[in-house]
Amino acid sequence: MNEIRPQFPILTTQVYGRPLVYLDNAATTQKPQRVIDALCRYYTTLNANIHRGAHRLAADATEAFELVRRKVQTYIGAESAEEIVFTRGTTESINLVAATFADRFLTDGDEIIVSGMEHHSDIVPWQLACRNKSVKLRVIPFSDDGQLDLEAYRALFTDRTKLVAVCHVSNTLGTINPVAEMAKEAHAHGAKILVDGAQAVAHIKVDVKQIGCDFYCFSGHKMYAPMGVGVMYGRKELLAELPPYQGGGEMIKDVSFERTTFNDLPFKFEAGTPSVADVVGLGEAIDFINETGLDRIAAIEDDLLRYATAAIDSVKGVKIYGTAPHKAAVLSFNVGKAHPYDVGTLLDKLGVAVRTGHHCTQPIMDRYSIPGTVRASFAAYNTREEVDLFIAALQRIAPMLS
Ligand code: PMP
């Protein structure tokens, strides 16, 4: 065993008297001890409300919070820390962009392009933001193996296309989408592009300048950080043009009953008290990833994905969904005609934690005419031995499923 796994205390948990095999990492990753310690340390030694305090503790908490903003900036290759807005997670980040972008830039007759493999949180915010406008969502189809049809994508642009919203990595199919190429195409048509990076940031190198995207959204809890914190990256010139999302403390310069002026970036988008401890935890998680090495993490996960994909073939009746050549560590499948929930429940009894259902991607399920899939997803701390346990469990339950 390498030095990664022992850093995660929860992985020694037993379920039903068996060792936990945690393969639900696309839903949320477990947290290393250092992230748990950072939260505890924050509340033990540093807790104060940030930005406004005149006292020492408030200054130190503010410094710790703002240090993480710069860490995130470096981690995703943003031009400036002002482009990093802290949110509660990917969902809130996309809702923020959708609401403010629609308010500022969208009028009746405009169009937004989304892909057919988007998470509901990259579909519904656009529908909500445009509910009082006649703005059409146009959808990029994908092939049976789970690759976006780029020719069809190009053909979807019209002179009314204002924005493209696409996931970097599909949480259901694992496909890594060619977002840099897609960004070029969007910009050639005068449209902006938002990339949902929820399933990418902990697995592949993300460089927002190299991608050339206008917005990039992600959650801390899928990258070894606490729940309750996420990031909305936006290009500075664009953020400057967008109106505030929520009103309240921190996002203002001056308030009177007649008129309010808004704070500078990024504070204009950070109304109210943020989850400071969780932001500090996110900084620690970034240090963990950097010190472990993202290349190494990607190599471990790639090995597990290949190993599991080859091994699962031995289970009778298994069909994999998402077999694109360029793929991250997500393995979605069904066993014969068995309902995914039944497969998940039986696996659980053998200690194997997977996710079942539509994974908040109902359009993908419609595309394949299935109710859902079973999804195993890998992180840096998983091992081949765990894959063996998972496959052995599947072999054992397979006869009960037909
Ligand atoms: N987009 C994708 C691709 C996701 O996988 C998820 C989480 N399953 C989300 C968005 C939403 O993330 P969160 O629930 O952390 O806001």
PDB file of all heavy atoms in Angstrom, residues 102 106-112 126-127 129-138 160 162:
ATOM      1  N   ALA A 102     -28.154  35.729 -17.534  1.00  0.00           N
ATOM      2  CA  ALA A 102     -29.465  35.893 -18.182  1.00  0.00           C
ATOM      3  C   ALA A 102     -29.953  37.328 -17.988  1.00  0.00           C
ATOM      4  O   ALA A 102     -30.453  37.961 -18.922  1.00  0.00           O
ATOM      5  CB  ALA A 102     -30.460  34.904 -17.607  1.00  0.00           C
ATOM      6  N   LEU A 106     -29.206  38.103 -21.818  1.00  0.00           N
ATOM      7  CA  LEU A 106     -30.143  37.311 -22.620  1.00  0.00           C
ATOM      8  C   LEU A 106     -31.470  38.030 -22.852  1.00  0.00           C
ATOM      9  O   LEU A 106     -32.046  38.607 -21.933  1.00  0.00           O
ATOM     10  CB  LEU A 106     -30.410  35.956 -21.954  1.00  0.00           C
ATOM     11  CG  LEU A 106     -29.195  35.039 -21.774  1.00  0.00           C
ATOM     12  CD1 LEU A 106     -29.600  33.714 -21.136  1.00  0.00           C
ATOM     13  CD2 LEU A 106     -28.492  34.779 -23.102  1.00  0.00           C
ATOM     14  N   THR A 107     -31.918  37.958 -24.097  1.00  0.00           N
ATOM     15  CA  THR A 107     -33.234  38.517 -24.421  1.00  0.00           C
ATOM     16  C   THR A 107     -34.027  37.481 -25.226  1.00  0.00           C
ATOM     17  O   THR A 107     -33.462  36.484 -25.683  1.00  0.00           O
ATOM     18  CB  THR A 107     -33.111  39.817 -25.254  1.00  0.00           C
ATOM     19  OG1 THR A 107     -32.281  39.515 -26.380  1.00  0.00           O
ATOM     20  CG2 THR A 107     -32.497  40.944 -24.467  1.00  0.00           C
ATOM     21  N   ASP A 108     -35.313  37.752 -25.390  1.00  0.00           N
ATOM     22  CA  ASP A 108     -36.187  36.822 -26.123  1.00  0.00           C
ATOM     23  C   ASP A 108     -35.572  36.414 -27.454  1.00  0.00           C
ATOM     24  O   ASP A 108     -35.078  37.268 -28.195  1.00  0.00           O
ATOM     25  CB  ASP A 108     -37.547  37.485 -26.392  1.00  0.00           C
ATOM     26  CG  ASP A 108     -38.375  37.554 -25.126  1.00  0.00           C
ATOM     27  OD1 ASP A 108     -38.036  36.853 -24.160  1.00  0.00           O
ATOM     28  OD2 ASP A 108     -39.365  38.322 -25.109  1.00  0.00           O
ATOM     29  N   GLY A 109     -35.610  35.130 -27.716  1.00  0.00           N
ATOM     30  CA  GLY A 109     -35.106  34.632 -29.005  1.00  0.00           C
ATOM     31  C   GLY A 109     -33.675  34.138 -28.932  1.00  0.00           C
ATOM     32  O   GLY A 109     -33.184  33.484 -29.862  1.00  0.00           O
ATOM     33  N   ASP A 110     -32.980  34.434 -27.823  1.00  0.00           N
ATOM     34  CA  ASP A 110     -31.591  33.968 -27.692  1.00  0.00           C
ATOM     35  C   ASP A 110     -31.549  32.454 -27.460  1.00  0.00           C
ATOM     36  O   ASP A 110     -32.561  31.833 -27.112  1.00  0.00           O
ATOM     37  CB  ASP A 110     -30.895  34.684 -26.523  1.00  0.00           C
ATOM     38  CG  ASP A 110     -30.493  36.102 -26.900  1.00  0.00           C
ATOM     39  OD1 ASP A 110     -30.456  36.403 -28.111  1.00  0.00           O
ATOM     40  OD2 ASP A 110     -30.234  36.903 -25.981  1.00  0.00           O
ATOM     41  N   GLU A 111     -30.357  31.916 -27.652  1.00  0.00           N
ATOM     42  CA  GLU A 111     -30.194  30.466 -27.508  1.00  0.00           C
ATOM     43  C   GLU A 111     -28.976  30.128 -26.649  1.00  0.00           C
ATOM     44  O   GLU A 111     -27.976  30.837 -26.671  1.00  0.00           O
ATOM     45  CB  GLU A 111     -30.029  29.826 -28.896  1.00  0.00           C
ATOM     46  CG  GLU A 111     -31.287  29.953 -29.739  1.00  0.00           C
ATOM     47  CD  GLU A 111     -31.105  29.451 -31.165  1.00  0.00           C
ATOM     48  OE1 GLU A 111     -30.003  28.972 -31.495  1.00  0.00           O
ATOM     49  OE2 GLU A 111     -32.076  29.545 -31.924  1.00  0.00           O
ATOM     50  N   ILE A 112     -29.111  29.033 -25.914  1.00  0.00           N
ATOM     51  CA  ILE A 112     -28.004  28.488 -25.115  1.00  0.00           C
ATOM     52  C   ILE A 112     -27.783  27.058 -25.594  1.00  0.00           C
ATOM     53  O   ILE A 112     -28.743  26.315 -25.787  1.00  0.00           O
ATOM     54  CB  ILE A 112     -28.366  28.482 -23.613  1.00  0.00           C
ATOM     55  CG1 ILE A 112     -28.510  29.909 -23.088  1.00  0.00           C
ATOM     56  CG2 ILE A 112     -27.329  27.732 -22.798  1.00  0.00           C
ATOM     57  CD1 ILE A 112     -29.014  29.988 -21.652  1.00  0.00           C
ATOM     58  N   TRP A 126     -30.345  27.102 -16.016  1.00  0.00           N
ATOM     59  CA  TRP A 126     -30.578  27.862 -17.253  1.00  0.00           C
ATOM     60  C   TRP A 126     -32.070  27.993 -17.516  1.00  0.00           C
ATOM     61  O   TRP A 126     -32.547  29.053 -17.940  1.00  0.00           O
ATOM     62  CB  TRP A 126     -29.865  27.201 -18.441  1.00  0.00           C
ATOM     63  CG  TRP A 126     -28.390  27.088 -18.184  1.00  0.00           C
ATOM     64  CD1 TRP A 126     -27.681  25.956 -17.907  1.00  0.00           C
ATOM     65  CD2 TRP A 126     -27.442  28.177 -18.116  1.00  0.00           C
ATOM     66  NE1 TRP A 126     -26.363  26.260 -17.676  1.00  0.00           N
ATOM     67  CE2 TRP A 126     -26.184  27.609 -17.796  1.00  0.00           C
ATOM     68  CE3 TRP A 126     -27.542  29.559 -18.292  1.00  0.00           C
ATOM     69  CZ2 TRP A 126     -25.031  28.384 -17.655  1.00  0.00           C
ATOM     70  CZ3 TRP A 126     -26.397  30.328 -18.141  1.00  0.00           C
ATOM     71  CH2 TRP A 126     -25.170  29.744 -17.834  1.00  0.00           C
ATOM     72  N   GLN A 127     -32.807  26.907 -17.241  1.00  0.00           N
ATOM     73  CA  GLN A 127     -34.265  26.973 -17.428  1.00  0.00           C
ATOM     74  C   GLN A 127     -34.883  27.964 -16.451  1.00  0.00           C
ATOM     75  O   GLN A 127     -35.741  28.761 -16.824  1.00  0.00           O
ATOM     76  CB  GLN A 127     -34.875  25.580 -17.214  1.00  0.00           C
ATOM     77  CG  GLN A 127     -34.460  24.592 -18.300  1.00  0.00           C
ATOM     78  CD  GLN A 127     -34.877  23.156 -17.983  1.00  0.00           C
ATOM     79  OE1 GLN A 127     -35.018  22.773 -16.820  1.00  0.00           O
ATOM     80  NE2 GLN A 127     -35.051  22.346 -19.018  1.00  0.00           N
ATOM     81  N   ALA A 129     -33.354  30.525 -14.944  1.00  0.00           N
ATOM     82  CA  ALA A 129     -32.904  31.900 -15.234  1.00  0.00           C
ATOM     83  C   ALA A 129     -33.663  32.474 -16.425  1.00  0.00           C
ATOM     84  O   ALA A 129     -33.814  33.692 -16.532  1.00  0.00           O
ATOM     85  CB  ALA A 129     -31.403  31.908 -15.499  1.00  0.00           C
ATOM     86  N   CYS A 130     -34.123  31.608 -17.309  1.00  0.00           N
ATOM     87  CA  CYS A 130     -34.774  32.079 -18.537  1.00  0.00           C
ATOM     88  C   CYS A 130     -36.284  31.888 -18.486  1.00  0.00           C
ATOM     89  O   CYS A 130     -36.960  31.984 -19.503  1.00  0.00           O
ATOM     90  CB  CYS A 130     -34.204  31.334 -19.746  1.00  0.00           C
ATOM     91  SG  CYS A 130     -32.442  31.605 -19.954  1.00  0.00           S
ATOM     92  N   ARG A 131     -36.829  31.621 -17.294  1.00  0.00           N
ATOM     93  CA  ARG A 131     -38.260  31.261 -17.252  1.00  0.00           C
ATOM     94  C   ARG A 131     -39.174  32.398 -17.678  1.00  0.00           C
ATOM     95  O   ARG A 131     -40.291  32.166 -18.105  1.00  0.00           O
ATOM     96  CB  ARG A 131     -38.664  30.704 -15.891  1.00  0.00           C
ATOM     97  CG  ARG A 131     -38.538  31.657 -14.717  1.00  0.00           C
ATOM     98  CD  ARG A 131     -38.925  30.938 -13.430  1.00  0.00           C
ATOM     99  NE  ARG A 131     -38.731  31.768 -12.266  1.00  0.00           N
ATOM    100  CZ  ARG A 131     -37.614  31.789 -11.540  1.00  0.00           C
ATOM    101  NH1 ARG A 131     -36.588  31.035 -11.880  1.00  0.00           N
ATOM    102  NH2 ARG A 131     -37.520  32.578 -10.486  1.00  0.00           N
ATOM    103  N   ASN A 132     -38.695  33.620 -17.578  1.00  0.00           N
ATOM    104  CA  ASN A 132     -39.533  34.734 -18.029  1.00  0.00           C
ATOM    105  C   ASN A 132     -39.111  35.278 -19.381  1.00  0.00           C
ATOM    106  O   ASN A 132     -39.489  36.369 -19.775  1.00  0.00           O
ATOM    107  CB  ASN A 132     -39.532  35.848 -16.977  1.00  0.00           C
ATOM    108  CG  ASN A 132     -40.173  35.369 -15.686  1.00  0.00           C
ATOM    109  OD1 ASN A 132     -41.150  34.623 -15.739  1.00  0.00           O
ATOM    110  ND2 ASN A 132     -39.613  35.758 -14.553  1.00  0.00           N
ATOM    111  N   LYS A 133     -38.287  34.500 -20.079  1.00  0.00           N
ATOM    112  CA  LYS A 133     -37.842  34.903 -21.408  1.00  0.00           C
ATOM    113  C   LYS A 133     -38.018  33.717 -22.331  1.00  0.00           C
ATOM    114  O   LYS A 133     -37.986  32.571 -21.858  1.00  0.00           O
ATOM    115  CB  LYS A 133     -36.352  35.275 -21.394  1.00  0.00           C
ATOM    116  CG  LYS A 133     -36.035  36.463 -20.534  1.00  0.00           C
ATOM    117  CD  LYS A 133     -34.552  36.716 -20.470  1.00  0.00           C
ATOM    118  CE  LYS A 133     -34.330  37.949 -19.607  1.00  0.00           C
ATOM    119  NZ  LYS A 133     -33.030  38.060 -19.058  1.00  0.00           N
ATOM    120  N   SER A 134     -38.154  33.964 -23.619  1.00  0.00           N
ATOM    121  CA  SER A 134     -38.209  32.794 -24.509  1.00  0.00           C
ATOM    122  C   SER A 134     -36.803  32.526 -25.047  1.00  0.00           C
ATOM    123  O   SER A 134     -36.432  32.963 -26.124  1.00  0.00           O
ATOM    124  CB  SER A 134     -39.227  32.997 -25.629  1.00  0.00           C
ATOM    125  OG  SER A 134     -38.937  34.171 -26.320  1.00  0.00           O
ATOM    126  N   VAL A 135     -36.042  31.858 -24.208  1.00  0.00           N
ATOM    127  CA  VAL A 135     -34.671  31.480 -24.579  1.00  0.00           C
ATOM    128  C   VAL A 135     -34.657  29.964 -24.759  1.00  0.00           C
ATOM    129  O   VAL A 135     -35.155  29.221 -23.910  1.00  0.00           O
ATOM    130  CB  VAL A 135     -33.665  31.900 -23.484  1.00  0.00           C
ATOM    131  CG1 VAL A 135     -32.282  31.337 -23.761  1.00  0.00           C
ATOM    132  CG2 VAL A 135     -33.606  33.415 -23.372  1.00  0.00           C
ATOM    133  N   LYS A 136     -34.083  29.542 -25.893  1.00  0.00           N
ATOM    134  CA  LYS A 136     -34.137  28.103 -26.198  1.00  0.00           C
ATOM    135  C   LYS A 136     -32.842  27.402 -25.799  1.00  0.00           C
ATOM    136  O   LYS A 136     -31.755  27.923 -26.032  1.00  0.00           O
ATOM    137  CB  LYS A 136     -34.356  27.969 -27.719  1.00  0.00           C
ATOM    138  CG  LYS A 136     -34.900  26.628 -28.100  1.00  0.00           C
ATOM    139  CD  LYS A 136     -35.791  26.607 -29.311  1.00  0.00           C
ATOM    140  CE  LYS A 136     -35.003  26.320 -30.555  1.00  0.00           C
ATOM    141  NZ  LYS A 136     -35.598  26.674 -31.782  1.00  0.00           N
ATOM    142  N   LEU A 137     -32.980  26.202 -25.210  1.00  0.00           N
ATOM    143  CA  LEU A 137     -31.811  25.348 -24.968  1.00  0.00           C
ATOM    144  C   LEU A 137     -31.644  24.423 -26.165  1.00  0.00           C
ATOM    145  O   LEU A 137     -32.581  23.724 -26.539  1.00  0.00           O
ATOM    146  CB  LEU A 137     -32.003  24.476 -23.723  1.00  0.00           C
ATOM    147  CG  LEU A 137     -31.945  25.101 -22.334  1.00  0.00           C
ATOM    148  CD1 LEU A 137     -31.910  24.006 -21.267  1.00  0.00           C
ATOM    149  CD2 LEU A 137     -30.734  26.011 -22.176  1.00  0.00           C
ATOM    150  N   ARG A 138     -30.470  24.447 -26.769  1.00  0.00           N
ATOM    151  CA  ARG A 138     -30.204  23.527 -27.877  1.00  0.00           C
ATOM    152  C   ARG A 138     -29.182  22.506 -27.380  1.00  0.00           C
ATOM    153  O   ARG A 138     -28.248  22.852 -26.668  1.00  0.00           O
ATOM    154  CB  ARG A 138     -29.697  24.296 -29.089  1.00  0.00           C
ATOM    155  CG  ARG A 138     -30.625  25.471 -29.411  1.00  0.00           C
ATOM    156  CD  ARG A 138     -30.442  25.978 -30.802  1.00  0.00           C
ATOM    157  NE  ARG A 138     -30.900  25.003 -31.775  1.00  0.00           N
ATOM    158  CZ  ARG A 138     -30.662  25.113 -33.090  1.00  0.00           C
ATOM    159  NH1 ARG A 138     -29.953  26.123 -33.553  1.00  0.00           N
ATOM    160  NH2 ARG A 138     -31.117  24.207 -33.929  1.00  0.00           N
ATOM    161  N   ARG A 160     -28.060  33.775 -32.736  1.00  0.00           N
ATOM    162  CA  ARG A 160     -28.676  34.047 -31.432  1.00  0.00           C
ATOM    163  C   ARG A 160     -28.026  33.259 -30.292  1.00  0.00           C
ATOM    164  O   ARG A 160     -28.467  33.328 -29.159  1.00  0.00           O
ATOM    165  CB  ARG A 160     -30.185  33.724 -31.474  1.00  0.00           C
ATOM    166  CG  ARG A 160     -30.987  34.515 -32.470  1.00  0.00           C
ATOM    167  CD  ARG A 160     -30.841  36.021 -32.320  1.00  0.00           C
ATOM    168  NE  ARG A 160     -31.184  36.553 -31.016  1.00  0.00           N
ATOM    169  CZ  ARG A 160     -32.370  37.061 -30.704  1.00  0.00           C
ATOM    170  NH1 ARG A 160     -33.318  37.117 -31.610  1.00  0.00           N
ATOM    171  NH2 ARG A 160     -32.596  37.551 -29.501  1.00  0.00           N
ATOM    172  N   LYS A 162     -25.835  32.612 -27.376  1.00  0.00           N
ATOM    173  CA  LYS A 162     -25.134  33.514 -26.459  1.00  0.00           C
ATOM    174  C   LYS A 162     -24.162  32.768 -25.536  1.00  0.00           C
ATOM    175  O   LYS A 162     -23.203  33.357 -25.050  1.00  0.00           O
ATOM    176  CB  LYS A 162     -26.149  34.289 -25.596  1.00  0.00           C
ATOM    177  CG  LYS A 162     -26.955  35.299 -26.380  1.00  0.00           C
ATOM    178  CD  LYS A 162     -26.096  36.499 -26.758  1.00  0.00           C
ATOM    179  CE  LYS A 162     -26.651  37.327 -27.872  1.00  0.00           C
ATOM    180  NZ  LYS A 162     -27.959  37.909 -27.618  1.00  0.00           N
TER     181      LYS A 162
END
